Structures are given as C-alpha cells and as structure tokens.
C-alpha cells in the first residue's frame, strides 16, 4: 500500500521553484556531499594515521566505513521506502555522529576503526538526497535540480581541500577527526530543520534479513581475502577459503533473492535492460572515485630515498595544486545537468569515464611535481564532473518514480561492492612494489604508477560498459513525483496481502 504525507513541494509541482525549495536544495546538496568532505579529511589524514599507529593495515581506515555502510544499506533503503527518506537520513546521521566521536577519542587503531565504521552508516544514505529531489521538485526542474545538487561536489572540491588541509596542518590527524564530528553535527541540523520529508511511501515491502546477511558476509570475506593475499600468499588455504567462500555466499544470495517475495535486491527489475545495464555501467564507473586515495598517499607520504616515493607535501600545498581543477569540475557538473536534457545520459557518462582514463594515463608519466599535476588536471576534472553528475541522472532515467528508492538502493549496493573491491585491489597493487619500516607501509614510484594504470583500465572499462544500456531517457522525458503502486505483473510477484 502506498501512502503520502503533504510536503511544501506538493503545492508547487508543475510550477517554478519556491524559496523554501531552493533552501531545501542547498541543504540537500550538503547532505549529499557531507560524506565527501569527511572523506577528504580522512584521506588527508591517512598518511599521518598510518605512521602514528604504525600499521600496514591502513586500507581499513577507508574500508571499514565503506563495508559497514554497504552491509547496512539494504536496511536503510527499505526503511526509507517505508518510513520516509528524510527520517532515515536523520537517524543515520545521528548514529554517524556517535561513531565520529568514538574515532576522535580513540587511542588505538582498532578503536579508531570501530568509530570510522559506525560513521559509515550515514554515507549509505547520501544518495537518498537525489530521491528526495525527485519527490518534491516540479517535473520540469528535476534535471536541473539534480544537477545542481550533484554539482555541489565541486564546491566540496574547492573548499573541502583547504578546510581539511588547514585543519591537518594546524592540528594534525586528531584535529581532522574532531572536524568530522562538527561536520556531521551540521548534517544533523540540516536534516532536522531545513529539508522536507518525501511524500512517497510503500508500506507493502518486508525487509529481507537473510539477503542482507548473505550479501554483507560474502562481500566482506572477498574484500578481506584480497587484502590478505600479499601477506598470506595468494595460494594459501586461508586466502582461497575467504575468496571462494565469499563468492559462494554471494551466489547463494543471488539464488535466494530470485525466489523470495520481497528481495533485498530487486531481481525482477534486473529483467529490464535499462535497469541492469545502468547497474553494471554505473557500478564500474563509480570505482574511479576511489583514485583519490592514491593521490593522498602520493602527495602526503614523506619522500625518503629507497623507501618512500611520496612527494612530502603539506596538506595545504596539495590543496593549492588541486585548486585549478575545481572550477573546471564545477562548471562541467553544472553544464552536464543541462546536457542531460538534450542528450542520452549514458553518452555523457561514457565520455566522462573515457576522459578520466586518459587523465590516469597522463598521471602515470606526469606525477612528479606540482606543475605536471596542474597541467594534466583539466582532463580528469572534466571527466569526473561528467561522471558525478550523470550517475544519479541515469538512476532516475532507468526507473519509475515509485521505484526511485529501490533504484538508488540497488545502485548504491552494487557500486559499494565494486568500490570496496577496487579500493582494496589498489592498496594491494601499491603494496606489491612497496616496503614496510617500523610497522608502517611505504610506497615506491612503481607503486603509484601501477595504481594509476589500474584506474586507467577501470575508466576505459567503465566507458565501454555504458553501452550495455539501451538509449536512456533524457531528463526532460522522465516522470517525476509519486506514481500509482505497481501491479503484480509489473513487480513479477503476487500482490501483497
């Protein structure tokens, strides 16, 4: 059964945006990208944390929040469909605030990982901001509004690096952790006071606990197995057991999901080429966002002959080097929202991913000083601007309004799996040519080159995968707002009792 509650946006559907909707979009952009600012802080702090805690397992500083967010995201999207997107985002933000406090107070690496893991709960809800946009904004403005919300990442790209750099250079990694607490608190306030609730509800769905457990267990086993391959040996029984066992559990998950009435992952929707093509393409392309980790390690690790090929920059210097690319990314993101009204969005995504691949090839050969990085950044900035703007637009193009939360959830789950694996593989690739000293991991020039080649390959594969999709709807062709509940034939399952 589908029910609604009134929101400010209902009165203006089909008309121009009111002031309250403009304010809501500003704060929706914040909620969509707050995790990115926190990610910048975490990325900048990675080198200091690895050396301070003397760990070779620093990859888990990034992976812990990603994996817990992935593990819980199915429950998050189910709850969003049933109880309201804003309400679920707010609950997740409060829990994330608790995790950020634990991380800021941590005196050991395991406790730090616990706090970071809990904070990852919110990251899984960020895509719900785009679903709220579709639910409350007039149809003719959905494309521009989604592009504007997505384009907020460029503002993050300008202000975020300097915020994180200033904090890190002045107060160290501990200051960065406490700044994460403050940023999450702002998110709580934004959701509590400035963002309306979506009117779209679906009370018919039950939560698939078995599927959630199977998926989380399988993915975690695979990612952990990849991470331990270098230390344990790729042919060791433990690594083979983790990889084989994890893949077997994921296979069981697929079988279970295809047979139950209310699956965690919408298998019935996968029968439609626009949907499965969108899932496959966006999941591969989204992996390119993981490359930021390589940049942080290259710029901020110390330069030590025969041990570390880091550039030894301060966080502020790295932010200055990245500054010229930020306005290019912002302009591209804003322009891409308009292009999506005129062109098939899959072509925009394919172009963005291809440009990113070119930028990675350039980075293989030109990453030794600030001049080289600045000169090669425009190609990558244009590519990334197209990618980050087109991804949410493609989800909107591939699903009906009633399926928006399910579509966002499925895309987030799939891309989360791919990102977790790609991030772990990147660390493994870098470690192959790296050295450890006093318990900390360091990386050679070959480490960084191999990582850039890895992401060049991902970008090229992502570009090609876009053509798994048929022609997708332009933003001026999609239906916005609430739609009638689907029939049993549309869902591929019996009507709920």
């Amino acid at each position: 059964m589908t029910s609604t509650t009134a929101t400010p946006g209902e009165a203006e559907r089909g008309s121009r945006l009111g002031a309250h909707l403009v304010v809501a979009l500003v704060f929706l952009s914040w909620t969509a990208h707050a995790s990115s600012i926190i990610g910048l802080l975490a990325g900048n702090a990675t080198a200091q944390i690895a050396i301070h805690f003397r760990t070779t397992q620093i990859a888990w500083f990034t992976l812990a929040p990603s994996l817990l967010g992935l593990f819980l995201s199915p429950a998050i999207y189910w709850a969003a469909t049933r109880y309201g997107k804003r309400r679920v985002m707010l609950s997740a933000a409060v829990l994330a605030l608790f995790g950020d406090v634990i991380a800021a107070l941590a005196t050991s690496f395991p406790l730090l990982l616990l706090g970071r893991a809990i904070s990852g709960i919110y990251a899984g809800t960020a895509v719900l901001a785009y679903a709220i946009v579709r639910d409350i904004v007039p149809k003719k403005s959905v494309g521009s509004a989604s592009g504007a919300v997505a384009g907020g990442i460029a503002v993050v790209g300008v202000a975020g690096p300097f915020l994180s750099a200033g904090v890190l250079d002045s107060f160290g990694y501990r200051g960065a952790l406490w700044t994460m607490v403050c940023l999450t608190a702002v998110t709580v306030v934004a959701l509590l006071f400035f963002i309306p609730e979506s009117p779209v509800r679906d009370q018919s769905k039950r939560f698939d606990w078995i599927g959630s457990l199977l998926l989380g267990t399988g993915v975690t086993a695979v990612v952990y197995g990849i991470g331990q391959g270098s230390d344990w040996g790729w042919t060791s029984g433990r690594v083979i057991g983790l990889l084989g066992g994890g893949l077997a559990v994921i296979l069981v998950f697929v079988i279970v999901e295809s047979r139950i009435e209310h699956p965690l992952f919408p298998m019935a929707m996968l029968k439609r080429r626009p949907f499965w093509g969108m899932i496959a393409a966006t999941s591969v392309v989204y992996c390119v966002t993981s490359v930021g980790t390589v940049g942080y390690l290259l710029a901020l690790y110390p330069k030590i002959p025969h041990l570390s090929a880091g550039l030894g920059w301060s966080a502020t210097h790295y932010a200055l080097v990245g500054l010229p690319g930020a306005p290019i990314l912002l302009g591209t993101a804003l322009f891409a929202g308009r292009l999506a009204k005129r062109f098939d969005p899959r072509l925009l995504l394919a172009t963005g991913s291809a440009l990113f691949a070119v930028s990675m090839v350039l980075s293989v050969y030109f990453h030794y000083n600030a001049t080289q990085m600045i000169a090669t950044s425009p190609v990558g900035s244009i590519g990334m601007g197209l990618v980050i703007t087109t991804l949410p637009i493609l989800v909107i193009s591939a699903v009906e309004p009633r399926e928006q939360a399910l579509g966002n959830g499925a895309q987030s789950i799939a891309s989360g799996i791919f990102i977790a694996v790609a991030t772990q593989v990147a660390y493994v690739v870098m470690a192959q040519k790296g050295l450890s000293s006093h318990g900390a991991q360091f990386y050679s020039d070959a480490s960084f080159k191999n990582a850039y080649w890895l992401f060049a390959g991902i970008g090229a594969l992502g570009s090609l995968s876009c053509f798994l999709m048929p022609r997708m709807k332009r933003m001026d062709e999609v239906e916005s707002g609430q739609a009638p509940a689907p029939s049993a034939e549309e869902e591929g399952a019996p009507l709920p009792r």
Side-chain angles (χ1 to χ4, degrees):
M1 175 179 180
T2 304
S3 61
T4 64
T5 57
T7 69
E10 288 185 284
E12 297 196 25
R13 300 200 65 82
S15 63
R16 66 179 60 186
L17 296 180
H20 59 279
L21 280 182
V22 173
V23 171
L25 288 176
V26 171
F27 284 99
L28 277 168
S29 186
W30 170 266
T31 61
H33 302 303
S35 295
S36 298
I37 302 178
I38 290 175
L40 285 171
L41 283 160
N44 275 329
T46 299
Q48 284 192 18
I49 288 173
I51 295 172
H52 176 84
F53 288 100
R54 297 187 179 184
T55 178
T56 59
Q57 301 296 317
I58 191 60
W60 289 98
F61 183 66
T62 301
L63 287 171
S66 298
L67 284 176
L68 186 61
L70 175 63
F71 190 86
L72 294 178
S73 61
I76 288 171
Y77 299 120
W78 169 79
T81 300
R82 190 177 182 89
Y83 300 111
K85 303 175 182 72
R86 169 186 167 275
R87 184 179 299 175
V88 169
M89 292 180 74
L90 177 59
S91 299
V94 171
L95 289 173
L97 181 60
F98 176 67
D100 286 332
V101 171
I102 291 176
L105 295 172
T107 56
S108 67
F109 191 61
L111 188 59
L112 176 65
L113 292 184
L114 174 63
R116 287 287 295 141
I118 295 173
S119 71
I121 294 173
Y122 178 76
T125 72
V127 294
L128 293 176
Y130 298 102
I132 293 176
V133 170
R134 181 173 188 170
D135 293 343
I136 68 173
V137 170
K139 176 180 178 178
K140 66 178 182 179
S141 301
V142 169
S144 297
S146 297
V149 170
I153 190 66
V155 179
V156 173
V158 175
F162 288 98
L163 169 65
S164 60
V167 169
L168 193 72
D169 291 343
S170 299
F171 304 103
Y173 78 89
R174 191 69 68 179
L177 294 174
W178 278 111
T179 303
M180 294 179 195
V181 173
C182 297
L183 295 175
T184 304
V186 172
T187 302
V188 171
V189 172
L191 286 162
L192 194 59
F193 296 108
F194 299 104
I195 296 173
E197 181 58 275
S198 162
V200 180
R201 298 282 195 284
D202 187 351
Q203 303 292 338
S204 66
K205 301 292 183 182
R206 299 186 184 92
F207 183 60
D208 177 17
W209 296 100
I210 295 176
S212 181
L213 182 62
L214 288 172
L215 180 64
T217 301
V219 173
T220 301
V222 170
V223 172
Y224 188 68
I226 293 172
Q228 297 301 320
S230 298
D231 292 336
W232 295 349
W234 292 102
T235 59
S236 70
R238 288 183 292 178
V239 170
I240 293 175
L242 283 168
L243 296 179
L247 292 173
V249 171
I250 293 174
L251 178 60
V252 172
F253 164 78
V254 172
I255 295 173
V256 168
E257 294 299 284
S258 64
R259 297 184 178 183
I260 62 176
E261 183 177 356
H262 298 285
L264 182 71
F265 199 90
M267 292 296 180
M269 292 167 64
L270 285 176
K271 296 177 182 178
R272 308 193 313 242
R273 185 184 169 195
F275 185 74
W276 69 255
M278 178 274 293
I279 292 293
T282 58
S283 296
V284 175
V285 173
Y286 208 68
C287 291
V288 304
T289 59
S290 302
V291 75
T293 299
V294 181
Y296 291 127
L297 296 177
L298 171 64
L300 303 181
Y301 254 71
K303 188 173 185 64
I304 305 173
H306 311 298
L307 178 63
S308 173
L311 297 174
W313 292 347
S314 68
T316 300
H317 184 67
Y318 185 42
L320 288 169
V321 171
L323 181 60
I328 298 175
L329 192 151
L330 174 59
T332 302
L334 294 176
F335 189 53
R338 298 192 175 200
L339 290 176
K341 290 184 176 182
R342 301 180 57 190
F343 299 102
D344 184 344
R346 66 175 176 154
L347 300 180
L348 301 180
L349 186 65
T351 301
S353 191
L355 289 173
F356 175 85
V358 171
S359 75
M360 290 297 96
V361 174
L362 292 174
S363 295
V364 170
Y365 300 102
F366 305 105
H367 63 267
Y368 297 105
N369 55 57
T371 301
Q372 291 180 352
M373 288 189 174
I374 292 172
T376 58
S377 67
V379 177
S381 296
I382 294 172
M384 192 64 77
L386 288 171
V387 166
I388 62 173
T389 305
T390 311
L391 281 169
I393 288 175
L394 274 168
V395 181
I396 293 174
S397 300
V399 302
E400 300 300 323
R402 63 174 179 270
E403 301 169 330
Q404 186 68 62
L406 278 175
N408 283 116
Q411 194 278 333
S412 182
I413 290 171
S415 62
I417 294 172
F418 276 70
I419 287 174
V421 172
T423 300
Q424 187 69 292
V425 170
Y427 273 105
V428 169
V429 166
M430 288 191 293
Q432 294 299 307
K433 297 294 184 178
L435 296 170
S436 61
S437 177
H438 296 89
Q441 179 70 56
F442 295 92
Y443 304 101
S444 67
D445 184 57
S447 298
F448 296 116
K449 284 185 174 181
N450 290 343
Y452 283 129
W453 278 122
L454 170 67
F455 282 100
I458 291 174
L461 179 61
S463 183
L464 293 174
S465 69
C466 291
F467 297 96
L468 293 172
M469 294 178 278
R471 178 194 175 278
M472 302 295 282
K473 295 177 182 177
R474 302 189 308 269
M475 285 310 298
D476 60 353
E477 297 174 325
V478 300
E479 179 185 358
S480 64
Q482 188 179 2
S487 65
E489 290 76 17
E490 288 175 314
E491 286 282 7
L495 284 170
R497 297 176 182 176

